[in-house]
Amino acid sequence: MLLKLVITAIVAAWSCATATSKENIREHASGIISKIQRADYEGDRAAIQRGYDDLKPFLEDKELASHIRYWRGFAQWRRAINGFNDSVDPKELEQNLKDALDEFKIAIEKDPAFVDAKVGIISCLGYLAFMNRKDQANAKELVGQIMSLVKEATDMAPDNPRLIWVRGPILWNTPLERGGGQDKAIENYQRGLEICSKIKASDDALEPSWGKPELMMSLAYSYLNKSAPDVNAAERNARSALEIVPCWHYVRDILLPQILAAKAKTK
């Protein structure tokens, strides 16, 4: 009887220690992910890279592997996007995008239902198609991959705000006669915001829940750059995005000044 009680106590202590260890691992990884997201908004490419490197020790954790791969892909994806704003060497940006694709693809291998990893792939392929637009055969092949993935992801999660966000540029560049155009892109972003207002963001930092400020940013950009600009709507959306993310370098230091300059010209 005494031996049974001792064994039970040991098993209970081991289970408790294991649970605590897993909780600590998740908490540590979540902290790194939060730093990556902040560095992305701040335009700090070096800090994004550090976050990418800091997630490496978690790659072998079976429970977290798909999400760790996603966030490593996210880091390289956002390094590239920020690099476009800072005139970084295109070869480096292309490598960032390819590294991101590798991570997103592994995330999907580990979890085929992980729609957000498909979202990342769609966007990365879009940037690569843009960078290789002079190579029409390559660009056409990339666009084919994009449209196939868009269909897959839309069938799986049509109301995913991040999927709606990456579909915006596709609609913007699709001719009116094929169901696209500037107004369609704006309607798409507005629909994304409506969906964001109805869903609760996950409390789990490992689960992607970003998207609302990105949709506002894209609306601001779209209103500014459409054929008939609406600078007031552009400014309203840019400032709304900054209310959520005050440290957003691109919106605060690049996009909003462009909007205010355009607004000044209309007076």
Side-chain angles (χ1 to χ4, degrees), residues 14 51-52 54 56 64 76 82 85 106-107 114 151 191 198 210 215 244 247 252-253 267:
W14 179 84
Y52 169 84
D54 288 346
K56 187 174 182 179
L64 304 182
Q76 293 299 328
N82 277 287
N85 296 331
I106 296 173
F114 199 171
K151 185 180 185 308
R191 175 174 169 269
K198 298 174 184 177
W210 57 270
L215 288 161
I244 300 174
C247 65
R252 183 190 62 205
D253 303 325
K267 292 184 179 180

Side-chain angles (χ1 to χ4, degrees), residues 115 153-164 191-192 195-196 199:
V115 173
T154 302
D155 288 345
M156 294 171 71
D159 292 337
N160 181 309
R162 293 159 297 284
L163 174 60
I164 292 171
R191 175 174 169 269
I195 290 171
C196 286
I199 60 177

